[in-house]
Amino acid sequence: MGRYLSMKPSAKMSKPTSLFVIFFSLFVMSEAVFEDQVGKFDWRQQYVGKTLFAHFDSHSQSSKMLFLATDKNIFASFNSRTGDLIWRHVDKVGPEGTIDILLLHGQDALMVVGDGRLLRSWDTNMGGLNWEAMLDTGSFQAACFVAIQDTVKHVAVLKKAVISLHYLSNGHQKWVENLPDGDAVQYQAVYSGGEEEVYVLGVVPNSHLTIIAYSLEDGEIIKQRSVEAPWLSSVESSCVVVGQGMLMCVDPATLALYTLPIQAEETPQFNQILLQSLDLEVSPSFQPVLVSSQPHPARSPLSEFFLQLGPDHHVLLQLNADGYTIAPLRDFQPAFLVSFATTGEKTVAAVMTPKNETACAINLFSADSGRRLLDTTVIFPLDLNGGKPHKLYVHAFLKKDDSVGYRVLVQTQDHALTFIQQPGRVVWTREEALADVVTMEMVDLPLTGTQAELEGEFGKKADGLFPMVLKRLSSQVTLLQAWLAHLWKLFYEARKPRSQVKNEVTIETLSRDEFNLQKMMVMVTASGKLFGIDSKSGSILWKHYLENVQPNAVFKLIVQRTTAHFPHPPQCTLLIKDKDTGLASLHVFNPIFGRKSHIALPVLPRPILQSLLLPVIDQDYAKVLLLVDDQYKVTAFPSTKNVLQQLQEMSSSIFFYLIRSDQGNLSGFRLRKDLSTERIWEVVLPTEVQKIVAVNGKRPNEHVHSQGRVMGDRSVLYKYLNPNLLAVVTESTDAHPERAFVGMFLIDGVTGRIIHEAVQRKARGPVHFVHSENWVVYEYWNTKSRRNEFSVLELFEGTELYNSTVFSSLDRPHLPQVLQQTYIFPSPITTMEATLTEKGITSRHLLVGLPSGAILSLPKMFLDPRRPEVVTEHSREENLIPYAPEMPIRTEWFINYNQTVARVKGIYTAPSGLESTCLVVAYGLDIYQTRVYPSKQFDVLKDDYDYVLISSVLFALFFATMISKRLAQVKLLNRAWR
Amino acid sequence: MASVPRSFLLLSVIPTILILCVDFACCNTGRKIGDGLDTDFSGFSVPLEHSFEVDDVSRFRMRGALQLRGGRETSVSLSQSQLSEEDRNTLKEVAAVDGLYKIRVPRVSLTDRQTERQMDGYLTAFVRACSLVESHLSDVITLHTDVSGYLIGVSIVTIPGACRGTEVEDEVDLEAFNTTLTIIAPTNAPQPETALFIERMDIEHEKRGKPQEQKSFFAKYWYLILGGAIFLMASSSAQPSAGGAEEQQS
């Protein structure tokens, strides 16, 4: 970026600057990114979500591919050397796209999608779809490859009442059979050991086990057995197949293993082996788990298997050749995780054991003997701010000397993936928690030490004239020093080639840049992991995992103290609320370093209904957070004496509102001196007619520069700028297309006065809306015309201001004028936000996230209810665009060019130090950060600004005047002599 | 009772005036009970209650009765009595401590008269007591209904709305309410104006589409030819541009 000019257009955009406006509007039209700007101010990170299934490409030895299926319905391939995404398939959101199972064989990846809706085969090399087959209805139970004579040709899919066999090559169904007695028996597993039969295992809980053998050829039932098993409740959770088709089950009640040969001809019986007889002991209240491995679908599973006896206790056991006795091979205690891996003919077991506080060790053991393999230890560093290891995925391979080498992928509870290679090197880490960002804030970076010192000077108490002068001088000297050091560094680095100068951003070197364009993004994810991300580079600077966060928790992130109050560190508070119980807890931390702060937290024994951040600050410059519980009692945080005193003084002017959408009830409260509350207004929207779907106030950090709009006849139309205004959106309970409607209520949050009440007929949600300044923009679905529509509401006080000095909700008796216009929008949208700048001079744009992943920067100018239907002299003077019912989408308005953001969920905007520039973060599955300039960069000099030309012209003019002055003098003198 | 002015003795006034939907009317003193009430008036009456206490604990008392009539032309009128001396003093005291004056109406439906179903709960609104006193009890009460005629909210403002701390000396000013009553139903938000736009486009099209007299080829396209010639000249003499960065912020 070139040099910045610190001049901002000081003129209000009001009266004499209509030319200016025209100018801007021309700029607006030509907004786009040039090729050489790509990636300069923006970055995108792609994520996939929490891993459900992971497979290494074992097809060829040198393959670098790693395949993942995740809870976000994504099937993706990674480069295992770098952790980069190779390709990714994003399926439908919700149960329709859930991945039930991922099986890998050779170059084919088999996937059952949508609870047994579809069977898909992918080509793993390119990521292309080989084929897709619709499956019969019924919920998915299990699937496995079926092989004959060492070649895998089929896949069997077991559903609740049906089993089907499909060809691997084209997905065609070979046969489908209804399962007998489907109502009583729960079929849960399907097994094939490479013979001519496919076995289906079902259970009648606590009664008996059913084994059905189907002929591979035509799906005929060859045999059907029923075995007494009163102790068995689920095959899925307590049984595995080991060795030559031996079903191995564990019963936590009797503490015994049961074995049963599946393929036995006569009516078999379970053979009980007490764990006691093997000298094994299960940890109290722990459900033992069996882990087995079937390296190749054409062969039977290994006869070795793991039995987990406690949270950190595993035993490697072997089923003897007689099929009835079990021999313990090795006892692993402590051991967090175990996993089998096969390469060639060798199968190994990887075991993760705790090493010390900060690391775990992973070792390989030979599966058939339980012996430890030499030189196979790798160290997994445990992040104190991360989660515990959750799952191991091991990729074993044969080295040149025929010994087994391996790489391992560790999944931790915070959804992070860490890839480790021998000898103990972390190759890459992916923070998949970022695939589900819930809320975020941008915090200014702190000042550098010298800047802070200068700032600190003003904060301190004055102690005499002379010491103040000295202090000022000393700080000026330090500034000079810093500047000289900076110059020296520039000079020094100028000699180095450019590529080497690239300095890494670390948490120590973080400091605010000249125009506050670099900020700290604090992101809260659904898994309870917090991230601090540098907005310039996108690198994660800190992370903190909050354990014990419920999966249905609701988060609210509040910046209580910004960076502006040196030496007090900035402070963020995260309110974590359990959705069901409403009980809340607070996590207070420093947003720059991510460290938890040691402030005493208030006790919150009751469910929290509402939290509000007051502009009141305590003696440490932290804003006061008020938490309202279900008995309408208020807790203040921080709750020092100073704060409580201030609250008492201000109590009569602190109002807040509560909304119970299930009852359609909106009510307002006022704080009393004793911190109890008093209900002062109540509005009830009957739930039989409509339900409240969203409520939105304005952003507290928003600035509005001009109080009004200058009209064509030079009079001013004043905006109705009520900071307490709430936009309440309702949807009708009646879903009939003719009678459905969307309601838009504008309610004053202090007095409960309904400022405006409008109904959009024949409309349906989902409604997306933005509420800012004096306008509300909302988008809905028109059920009659079957299209998306945008509507804009603007509120004006009129040509005279009631009270121009201060706005008080209590003293504004006249209702504002409301103007509204509606437009057709040619695309559905997923989210919407408005740009925000430092002083609010720059014109506003709406940032619209589209389902295609594009982010549209739509000028607010197009959403202006004063757009005239018939162009007049006045409207032309005002530079209003004539009304057109359709809103255009121009491709140059896409701020993220080809960097689509999959499943955009939210857009966050933050002002920068430059008035022209607004920082934008779009998050969803991906995270995209960029800058937008709604009025172009009017306060920035161009990159190619010609300094030489300007200065040479200046110098030339200067010398020309000097010379001409001299010449004039000579001439005058000569004339005088004459 | 010396301080009680004559007008109080004359009548215990209940003003009633019928008003139409979204229209309003002032309910002044000076009319007798039942003056505007027709016998076949199919409306119904709900109480309007108010509360003003020094300790800010709500104790609602009767202020008047709202006559509501639903149907095609929703109308509302208010009959209310004067404030008693005790009430006036309380109101002044409340105003002195910056207390609130609250009103409430029960939740009712204007259209659903057959069921006579009174939903539980009230709709409440407030105004600062001092502004009510300083405006000499001139208040504007607005009732809001939703699409199906349920009352959803009530609001009260005074005109003027500010509290300037001016003393209200004359007791007469605090006797009777000077109420403006309005009932507001939701407005219909506009649909995209496609019809008008198409009409306008058609007109423009017609204008443009008027047959023009036949001109010669050069007379018709001289500007294109001239422009092309200039462009050719310019492009042949101009140097190639140095890339996107230069154009970027021009």
Side-chain angles (χ1 to χ4, degrees):
Chain A
M1 204 64 237
R3 251 7 93 81
Y4 294 91
L5 195 67
S6 61
M7 185 202 79
K8 289 170 189 170
S10 54
K12 270 191 182 180
M13 295 252 305
S14 46
K15 277 190 181 159
T17 50
S18 57
L19 192 76
F20 231 67
V21 174
I22 295 169
F23 226 61
F24 283 158
S25 66
L26 290 178
F27 280 146
V28 164
M29 302 305 162
S30 64
E31 192 192 16
V33 178
F34 287 91
E35 199 178 349
D36 62 345
Q37 284 180 310
V38 164
K40 209 168 166 187
F41 311 117
D42 63 324
W43 49 261
R44 176 180 68 162
Q45 288 170 358
Q46 292 185 304
Y47 294 97
V48 295
K50 179 190 173 186
T51 306
L52 297 179
F53 307 97
H55 289 285
F56 288 92
D57 186 11
S58 50
H59 181 238
S60 72
Q61 193 74 273
S62 60
S63 175
K64 292 174 188 163
M65 302 251 270
L66 166 66
F67 306 104
L68 297 182
T70 69
D71 69 337
K72 296 258 174 269
N73 307 350
I74 286 162
F75 178 43
S77 165
F78 288 97
N79 182 333
S80 64
R81 306 293 190 275
T82 60
D84 294 337
L85 200 65
I86 300 171
W87 46 257
R88 179 177 78 170
H89 291 286
V90 182
D91 205 343
K92 283 179 190 154
V93 195
E96 249 188 297
T98 43
I99 297 169
D100 299 321
I101 197 165
L102 173 68
L103 301 167
L104 200 69
H105 179 259
Q107 288 208 359
D108 295 331
L110 256 284
M111 214 159 84
V112 179
V113 180
D115 197 18
R117 197 168 56 90
L118 291 169
L119 178 68
R120 282 184 184 147
S121 164
W122 301 91
D123 173 47
T124 55
N125 258 346
M126 307 298 296
L129 184 69
N130 288 335
W131 49 260
E132 181 181 84
M134 281 288 263
L135 297 177
D136 287 352
T137 50
S139 69
F140 174 79
Q141 295 297 330
C144 78
F145 284 121
V146 181
I148 347 168
Q149 289 139 14
D150 264 17
T151 49
V152 181
K153 278 188 180 157
H154 304 102
V155 58
V157 180
L158 178 72
K159 304 185 81 172
K160 200 169 173 5
V162 99
I163 179 170
S164 57
L165 200 73
H166 298 260
Y167 290 102
L168 206 55
S169 53
N170 54 17
H172 291 175
Q173 190 175 289
K174 187 169 182 181
W175 49 259
V176 56
E177 290 297 325
N178 282 326
L179 296 165
D181 230 0
D183 299 333
V185 187
Q186 298 172 13
Y187 294 96
Q188 290 176 334
V190 58
Y191 163 76
S192 156
E195 298 90 358
E196 295 285 315
E197 290 135 14
V198 179
Y199 296 92
V200 173
L201 306 178
V203 65
V204 178
N206 304 321
S207 168
H208 61 269
L209 179 84
T210 307
I211 303 172
I212 306 169
Y214 283 95
S215 157
L216 196 59
E217 211 45 57
D218 52 6
E220 197 185 327
I221 294 178
I222 297 170
K223 52 193 173 194
Q224 186 172 357
R225 308 242 180 286
S226 177
V227 189
E228 284 293 307
W231 44 269
L232 187 65
S233 59
S234 162
V235 178
E236 215 175 1
S237 62
S238 51
C239 296
V240 292
V241 182
V242 222
Q244 302 292 327
M246 188 66 84
L247 188 70
M248 176 80 64
C249 295
V250 62
D251 176 29
T254 53
L255 295 177
L257 290 172
Y258 289 88
T259 58
L260 176 85
I262 293 175
Q263 287 127 321
E265 289 299 321
E266 68 281 10
T267 308
Q269 283 297 314
F270 270 113
N271 172 34
Q272 188 192 44
I273 303 164
L274 286 175
L275 288 178
Q276 219 171 4
S277 68
L278 300 165
D279 282 340
L280 300 174
E281 203 175 319
V282 178
S283 302
S285 72
F286 183 82
Q287 187 94 21
V289 182
L290 287 165
V291 181
S292 73
S293 167
Q294 185 174 12
H296 196 274
R299 265 156 263 161
S300 52
L302 296 179
S303 52
E304 291 81 23
F305 60 96
F306 273 110
L307 175 63
Q308 188 178 5
L309 297 166
D312 58 350
H313 187 193
H314 291 82
V315 208
L316 181 64
L317 301 171
Q318 188 177 37
L319 183 73
N320 289 335
D322 60 10
Y324 291 99
T325 55
I326 289 170
L329 289 179
R330 195 172 176 125
D331 196 347
F332 298 102
Q333 193 177 22
F336 292 141
L337 299 169
V338 294
S339 175
F340 283 110
T342 307
T343 173
E345 295 302 309
K346 287 187 184 172
T347 297
V348 289
V351 179
M352 180 187 262
T353 52
K355 193 174 152 76
N356 54 34
E357 286 282 293
T358 59
C360 281
I362 303 167
N363 282 295
L364 279 197
F365 296 85
S366 154
D368 44 7
S369 66
R371 269 204 321 276
R372 199 171 87 87
L373 301 175
L374 291 176
D375 298 328
T376 55
T377 311
V378 298
I379 305 296
F380 171 71
L382 271 181
D383 189 353
L384 288 180
N385 292 325
K388 291 193 176 64
H390 175 65
K391 211 162 179 188
L392 274 185
Y393 301 97
V394 181
H395 180 216
F397 54 88
L398 285 177
K399 290 184 187 168
K400 280 182 186 130
D401 57 354
D402 220 28
S403 64
V404 180
Y406 73 114
R407 303 183 188 95
V408 61
L409 183 71
V410 185
Q411 184 186 2
T412 44
Q413 280 169 337
D414 54 352
H415 306 177
L417 294 174
T418 310
F419 192 75
I420 309 170
Q421 209 168 6
Q422 278 178 299
R425 193 167 65 87
V426 172
V427 186
W428 50 262
T429 306
R430 284 186 67 93
E431 292 293 349
E432 289 302 338
L434 283 171
D436 200 352
V437 175
V438 181
T439 175
M440 67 167 291
E441 283 288 342
M442 268 185 160
V443 184
D444 292 351
L445 291 178
L447 300 162
T448 55
T450 47
Q451 283 171 323
E453 189 170 322
L454 204 65
E455 291 274 315
E457 197 185 322
F458 301 110
K460 280 170 203 155
K461 291 258 154 56
D463 43 5
L465 184 67
F466 190 63
M468 285 287 279
V469 173
L470 269 187
K471 205 179 276 170
R472 162 49 63 93
L473 282 177
S474 71
S475 45
Q476 298 282 32
V477 168
T478 45
L479 270 185
L480 187 70
Q481 266 178 352
W483 186 64
L484 287 175
H486 176 70
L487 276 189
W488 171 247
K489 202 178 157 204
L490 271 187
F491 172 71
Y492 189 72
E493 281 175 356
R495 298 188 303 174
K496 282 196 220 162
R498 194 152 250 222
S499 55
Q500 287 181 18
V501 185
K502 211 178 176 184
N503 40 355
E504 278 286 297
V505 188
T506 59
I507 209 152
E508 287 79 25
T509 60
L510 272 184
S511 68
R512 198 180 304 178
D513 60 332
E514 264 173 305
F515 296 105
N516 205 359
L517 289 163
Q518 186 179 9
K519 294 200 183 199
M520 177 67 83
M521 292 159 51
V522 180
M523 297 194 125
V524 182
T525 62
S527 63
K529 196 168 189 183
L530 313 183
F531 291 90
I533 299 175
D534 169 35
S535 75
K536 199 172 190 177
S537 62
S539 50
I540 297 169
L541 297 177
W542 59 261
K543 43 198 169 192
H544 186 92
Y545 180 57
L546 301 171
E547 276 168 66
N548 310 322
V549 169
Q550 300 300 316
N552 60 352
V554 187
F555 299 92
K556 186 171 177 185
L557 185 62
I558 303 138
V559 182
Q560 275 197 296
R561 182 164 55 217
T562 60
T563 339
H565 305 285
F566 186 81
H568 299 290
Q571 181 181 321
C572 273
T573 301
L574 181 69
L575 180 71
I576 307 153
K577 195 169 117 178
D578 193 283
K579 211 172 196 170
D580 297 335
T581 62
L583 289 173
S585 62
L586 294 177
H587 173 71
V588 184
F589 61 100
N590 177 336
I592 303 300
F593 302 107
R595 279 194 293 266
K596 191 176 176 182
S597 113
H598 298 287
I599 292 177
L601 294 174
V603 189
L604 304 169
R606 301 210 58 86
I608 298 296
L609 297 179
Q610 171 79 295
S611 65
L612 54 156
L613 192 66
L614 297 181
V616 182
I617 51 169
D618 72 345
Q619 69 270 37
D620 292 338
Y621 303 101
K623 284 186 184 161
V624 176
L625 181 69
L626 283 191
L627 301 164
V628 186
D629 67 20
D630 65 343
Q631 293 182 333
Y632 310 115
K633 289 264 166 36
V634 169
T635 314
F637 171 71
S639 58
T640 55
K641 206 176 260 175
N642 176 306
V643 170
L644 294 178
Q645 198 186 337
Q646 283 191 58
L647 280 181
Q648 270 184 13
E649 283 163 16
M650 295 184 58
S651 62
S652 66
S653 60
I654 296 175
F655 298 86
F656 62 91
Y657 63 90
L658 290 177
I659 288 163
R660 300 206 53 176
S661 55
D662 55 331
Q663 297 168 4
N665 186 312
L666 298 99
S667 43
F669 294 80
R670 180 162 85 152
L671 202 64
R672 286 205 188 123
K673 286 210 177 342
D674 58 346
L675 291 189
S676 64
T677 56
E678 167 190 11
R679 188 186 293 244
I680 51 175
W681 60 264
E682 203 168 355
V683 167
V684 187
L685 304 171
T687 44
E688 303 91 83
V689 181
Q690 53 196 332
K691 54 181 190 294
I692 301 172
V693 287
V695 179
N696 219 337
K698 291 178 191 174
R699 287 177 68 163
N701 57 346
E702 170 183 285
H703 293 271
V704 180
H705 188 256
S706 53
Q707 288 280 312
R709 285 189 57 169
V710 184
M711 297 197 289
D713 57 359
R714 292 286 185 271
S715 64
V716 177
L717 190 61
Y718 287 100
K719 296 174 182 170
Y720 179 79
L721 298 168
N722 183 351
N724 308 316
L725 196 66
L726 302 174
V728 180
V729 174
T730 62
E731 271 183 52
S732 61
T733 349
D734 192 345
H736 188 273
E738 282 296 312
R739 293 188 296 269
F741 66 88
V742 165
M744 170 59 77
F745 296 83
L746 300 178
I747 297 177
D748 189 299
V750 169
T751 63
R753 192 177 180 196
I754 298 175
I755 304 287
H756 184 66
E757 189 186 343
V759 168
Q760 196 83 49
R761 302 268 178 189
K762 290 168 189 148
R764 183 159 56 77
V767 181
H768 300 275
F769 69 113
V770 176
H771 181 200
S772 175
E773 278 189 46
N774 65 327
W775 49 264
V776 180
V777 170
Y778 61 96
E779 187 261 8
Y780 58 90
W781 172 257
N782 186 331
T783 50
K784 191 189 172 203
S785 311
R786 295 167 180 274
R787 64 190 176 202
N788 289 283
E789 287 176 5
F790 254 115
S791 195
V792 57
L793 277 161
E794 279 196 26
L795 292 94
F796 292 100
E797 288 216 2
T799 47
E800 267 174 56
L801 219 51
Y802 179 79
N803 178 354
S804 56
T805 46
V806 69
F807 188 96
S808 167
S809 285
L810 297 172
D811 177 19
R812 253 320 115 138
H814 304 295
L815 284 173
Q817 301 170 12
V818 181
L819 302 176
Q820 186 166 13
Q821 226 169 42
T822 307
Y823 316 89
I824 302 162
F825 193 67
S827 164
I829 74 169
T830 51
T831 184
M832 187 154 64
E833 185 56 89
T835 59
L836 195 65
T837 54
E838 179 99 346
K839 297 270 182 262
I841 300 170
T842 311
S843 58
R844 310 289 296 270
H845 275 201
L846 286 174
L847 299 170
V848 183
L850 304 181
S852 62
I855 294 159
L856 183 76
S857 181
L858 187 68
K860 171 67 180 54
M861 207 186 229
F862 281 89
L863 289 154
D864 183 347
R866 303 190 55 246
R867 282 175 69 175
E869 261 152 29
V870 180
V871 185
T872 61
E873 194 61 38
H874 284 322
S875 71
R876 207 172 290 141
E877 182 85 2
E878 241 186 291
N879 202 30
L880 293 172
I881 306 163
Y883 180 79
E886 194 174 23
M887 189 74 61
I889 292 185
R890 300 193 184 148
T891 42
E892 70 264 25
W893 287 350
F894 292 143
I895 57 169
N896 56 341
Y897 45 105
N898 65 353
Q899 307 280 299
T900 50
V901 187
R903 294 190 195 150
V904 194
K905 204 167 63 178
I907 295 174
Y908 180 87
T909 53
S912 74
L914 278 172
E915 171 56 30
S916 64
T917 310
C918 169
L919 304 176
V920 177
V921 181
Y923 54 87
L925 192 59
D926 305 339
I927 298 172
Y928 180 74
Q929 192 276 145
T930 190
R931 301 172 189 172
V932 289
Y933 319 99
S935 296
K936 274 300 208 179
Q937 293 174 290
F938 59 79
D939 49 1
V940 179
L941 285 186
K942 281 191 281 179
D943 256 347
D944 55 349
Y945 186 75
D946 203 340
Y947 295 95
V948 181
L949 184 74
I950 282 284
S951 41
S952 58
V953 165
L954 265 179
F955 276 114
L957 280 174
F958 178 70
F959 283 116
T961 28
M962 294 292 278
I963 291 162
S964 56
K965 197 178 169 190
R966 177 78 196 135
L967 286 177
Q969 273 176 351
V970 170
K971 198 176 177 186
L972 271 177
L973 192 67
N974 286 345
R975 197 182 290 165
W977 276 110
R978 210 179 289 157
Chain B
M1 290 296 272
S3 68
V4 181
R6 263 178 308 166
S7 58
F8 178 74
L9 296 171
L10 272 174
L11 22 121
S12 62
V13 205
I14 296 164
T16 41
I17 277 188
L18 273 175
I19 47 172
L20 287 177
C21 170
V22 199
D23 278 346
F24 61 84
C26 289
C27 303
N28 287 317
T29 51
R31 291 235 197 148
K32 286 197 174 152
I33 313 165
D35 228 14
L37 286 178
D38 291 328
T39 41
D40 60 337
F41 188 71
S42 64
F44 60 104
S45 151
V46 291
L48 171 70
E49 293 167 293
H50 61 176
S51 153
F52 42 99
E53 299 294 334
V54 181
D55 58 357
D56 266 352
V57 176
S58 304
R59 274 184 288 275
F60 284 97
R61 299 182 294 274
M62 200 67 167
R63 171 173 157 176
L66 287 165
Q67 286 291 333
L68 295 163
R69 203 174 72 168
R72 182 155 292 195
E73 288 174 354
T74 313
S75 61
V76 62
S77 61
L78 173 66
S79 54
Q80 54 191 347
S81 52
Q82 287 186 326
L83 279 182
S84 70
E85 189 178 359
E86 195 190 337
D87 282 348
R88 286 198 299 264
N89 289 335
T90 325
L91 188 61
K92 277 179 134 180
E93 279 170 38
V94 174
V97 297
D98 194 15
L100 303 180
Y101 172 85
K102 296 182 215 166
I103 57 164
R104 75 174 186 190
V105 289
R107 291 175 60 198
V108 286
S109 167
L110 298 183
T111 50
D112 210 5
R113 291 300 302 149
Q114 284 78 20
T115 49
E116 193 77 33
R117 187 162 47 111
Q118 184 145 338
M119 290 160 286
D120 50 336
Y122 289 89
L123 306 166
T124 324
F126 76 97
V127 70
R128 284 164 83 189
C130 57
S131 69
L132 189 70
V133 170
E134 282 177 35
S135 67
H136 308 298
L137 304 189
S138 348
D139 54 353
V140 178
I141 296 176
T142 313
L143 298 170
H144 295 268
T145 65
D146 70 355
V147 277
S148 50
Y150 287 106
L151 274 192
I152 57 163
V154 61
S155 75
I156 176 169
V157 287
T158 61
I159 294 178
C163 279
R164 295 201 171 75
T166 46
E167 277 287 309
V168 178
E169 292 297 331
D170 200 356
E171 286 279 319
V172 185
D173 291 335
L174 289 184
E175 269 173 6
F177 286 99
N178 176 19
T179 306
T180 310
L181 196 61
T182 324
I183 184 156
I184 293 183
T187 53
N188 277 336
Q191 301 281 335
E193 290 281 357
T194 37
L196 210 77
F197 182 76
I198 290 167
E199 204 175 290
R200 213 179 68 217
M201 291 281 278
D202 284 344
I203 293 169
E204 267 178 37
H205 207 74
E206 267 174 35
K207 265 187 206 165
R208 213 178 298 156
K210 272 178 189 165
Q212 289 176 340
E213 51 196 287
Q214 287 296 316
K215 287 180 191 172
S216 73
F217 179 77
F218 279 102
K220 227 170 160 183
Y221 298 111
W222 65 271
Y223 50 94
L224 279 182
I225 294 163
L226 191 68
I230 290 169
F231 177 75
L232 275 177
M233 272 157 66
S235 60
S236 61
S237 61
Q239 286 172 358
S241 158
E246 282 193 3
E247 297 165 46
Q248 171 202 342
Q249 282 126 4
S250 49

